[in-house]
Amino acid sequence: MFSLCLGGFFPQSKDMHDVAMIELGPVEDGGSYIEELMELTAQSLSRLEIQEHFNVIKEIGRGKYGRVLLVTHRCRGTPMALKVLPKASTKLKGFLREYCISLRLSCHPCIVGLFGIAFQSDEHYGFAQELVVGRDLFAIIKPRVGISERVVKRCAVQIASALEFIHRLGLVHRDIKPENVLLLDTQCRHVKLADFGLTQKCGTLIRFISSTLPYMAPELCAMVPDAGQETPKAPPLSIQPSLDTWAFGVLLFCILTGFFPWEYCTSTDCFYEEFAEWRQNPETTEVPSQWMRFTPACMEMFAKLLALEPNDRSTADVVKGYVGKDWVRPKCPNGLMGENGGVSSMTTMSSPCRSSPVLQ
């Protein structure tokens, strides 16, 4: 099976939380490497027709922004994934940004590679990427169960390495979720981060968003305008790596449990409110039921990744210090979990999150 989720392409079965329109303010440092690369690419962008240079095998992805095609190069026979975006709905600058950012990042072993082929036809912009034959991380998550801790830790270390590289270059991915982690094998010994359609430089301003995803940090969810308003009450938000750190923490929860911890990080979501109250008063507030399956060491890691204040969040690579520790409490014969593996009357494996949304 071929699987690729790039630049806003999402499998139709996962569209429940997939749409989030974001208006961006100007990037302050216009003389950066990415902007220079965009300018050079614009000047040398090849003009070609897809059918003349590629054999189209089949479509492997479709989304609001265009299509992803499985193709082979007519001369070399090389298989690749061709991302094609219609000019009618794609700005040249947006296309160039995604391509140049993807190209800059593609040298990392845990990030999807590029062939360095960017072009325009009469109706489309396009570029060629490495073809990852396999599934994405979302596809192997069992609802209400998740993935084994051993496999999760493999994923965590590789994703953290990719994020560390992205952030070191002054960029923020902004769309960390299981659908954008591609698997080269079913045991996740090698995974690759994909989809840089929303990636921006640190310091780019977000003025509003029109909808929320479970992976969005609370400060990002605050950018949704109230009903009847055109702009949110919150001032423009500066994009920072802490947004990726939060999303990474939510991703780890999802793949360990098969649940979303909440639907959105606002006061109207009771699961987020329960979590926020516990984080603000950990000594006097009971641990929310859906978090009781995790060991103290794992909860310490989550507390660093999911700190409510952006400035208090750790970097993604903090997970590397916890891979040698247990993350999930052992399960008792009766299915209950408790402190140090003991029995708890608060939660069961069959209903760990009450009505918390299930990944499916």
Side-chain angles (χ1 to χ4, degrees), residues 175-322:
D175 200 16
I176 299 301
K177 57 185 179 182
E179 294 93 323
N180 291 336
V181 179
L182 307 183
L183 314 181
L184 278 73
D185 64 271
T186 57
Q187 294 301 307
C188 300
R189 293 183 177 88
H190 193 183
V191 307
K192 294 201 173 209
L193 186 60
D195 193 343
F196 298 94
L198 294 180
T199 301
Q200 285 282 353
K201 286 183 58 181
C202 293
T204 302
L205 297 179
I206 295 176
R207 302 192 184 282
F208 71 88
I209 62 174
S210 61
S211 61
T212 59
L213 307 177
Y215 308 97
M216 287 183 175
E219 67 271 18
L220 191 54
C221 290
M223 302 307 296
V224 178
D226 292 336
Q229 294 185 331
E230 294 185 0
T231 59
K233 295 178 181 178
L237 177 69
S238 174
I239 291 176
Q240 298 297 329
S242 55
L243 295 176
D244 284 348
T245 297
W246 180 279
F248 183 40
V250 175
L251 179 149
L252 292 179
F253 178 96
C254 289
I255 61 179
L256 281 166
T257 67
F259 285 87
F260 292 109
W262 42 67
E263 290 196 66
Y264 33 76
C265 295
T266 69
S267 58
T268 58
D269 188 297
C270 62
F271 292 100
Y272 172 69
E273 275 293 281
E274 189 178 34
F275 174 81
E277 182 180 355
W278 168 63
R279 289 306 309 145
Q280 290 166 343
N281 303 285
E283 301 299 326
T284 58
T285 305
E286 190 170 35
V287 176
S289 61
Q290 60 264 49
W291 298 85
M292 293 182 70
R293 68 178 65 202
F294 302 120
T295 64
C298 187
M299 291 302 293
E300 181 179 283
M301 179 185 72
F302 274 126
K304 294 177 179 180
L305 295 171
L306 298 173
L308 300 180
E309 292 296 326
N311 292 337
D312 294 336
R313 277 174 222 150
S314 67
T315 55
D317 63 350
V318 72
V319 302
K320 298 176 183 178
Y322 290 88

